[in-house]
Amino acid sequence: MGAFASYAPMALSALQTGQQISSNRADQKNRAAETEANRQVDIAQINASEAERARERAEELRIRQARLRARQGAAGLQSGGTGSASAVLAGLEKQALSETHADADAAARKRAEVNRQASWRETSLLRSLQDDTVARLNAWFARRDGW
């Protein structure tokens, strides 16, 4: 009976340490899932704002082109004027395309930053979990060995 009495506290201590480690792992998984959900929301917001800006830009281009064509028709310009108007229309399209590329690049940078931050948070959570697990195991072995 004496041997059991000396092993029982050690077994109970090991069980408690294992439960704490398991609880910390579950908490870390929940925080990682929350980080991933936040990342997905941020990416969706970036994509939605990019799509909205693209729609606004397309509508603005359409309106500008319609106004230019209306002015051209109202003035009764000859074919020489029509060529100039076509150049202006092409310039408007080129400007809109340039703005689209600039917005796409900005959105890509934002997505990369969101992904980088989420990756850092996940790595940080993993490291803290590992550090906590190692610390708990070291403490348990130190108690067991009587240090």
Side-chain angles (χ1 to χ4, degrees):
M1 185 72 170
F4 176 75
S6 65
Y7 286 117
M10 185 173 61
L12 181 62
S13 175
L15 179 63
Q16 289 173 340
T17 299
Q19 288 173 339
Q20 289 171 342
I21 290 171
S22 177
S23 172
N24 286 345
R25 283 187 180 169
D27 184 48
Q28 189 268 342
K29 285 181 182 180
N30 288 339
R31 287 185 286 168
E34 183 180 320
T35 297
E36 177 62 18
N38 289 339
R39 184 186 75 80
Q40 291 294 335
V41 167
D42 290 344
I43 295 289
Q45 287 175 344
I46 290 168
N47 290 341
S49 68
E50 182 182 20
E52 179 62 26
R53 282 193 307 271
R55 280 191 296 274
E56 289 171 358
R57 202 172 24 261
E59 181 65 16
E60 182 181 333
L61 177 62
R62 188 191 63 74
I63 290 169
R64 289 170 125 186
Q65 289 173 334
R67 284 182 185 155
L68 183 61
R69 287 184 184 121
R71 273 187 258 146
Q72 176 187 0
L77 297 175
Q78 298 176 350
S79 63
T82 302
S84 176
S86 296
V88 172
L89 287 172
L92 290 175
E93 290 175 4
K94 185 176 179 181
Q95 177 186 3
L97 186 60
S98 175
E99 290 173 0
T100 300
H101 287 306
D103 278 351
D105 290 345
R109 284 190 300 275
K110 287 178 186 176
R111 281 191 289 273
E113 181 62 24
V114 165
N115 288 333
R116 187 173 29 258
Q117 288 175 353
S119 175
W120 181 85
R121 282 187 211 109
E122 189 174 338
T123 301
S124 177
L125 285 172
L126 181 60
R127 284 186 186 143
S128 67
L129 175 68
Q130 290 171 341
D131 291 346
D132 184 65
T133 300
V134 169
R136 287 185 189 279
L137 289 174
N138 284 339
W140 184 83
F141 280 114
R143 281 192 310 268
R144 184 197 70 174
D145 295 341
W147 289 359

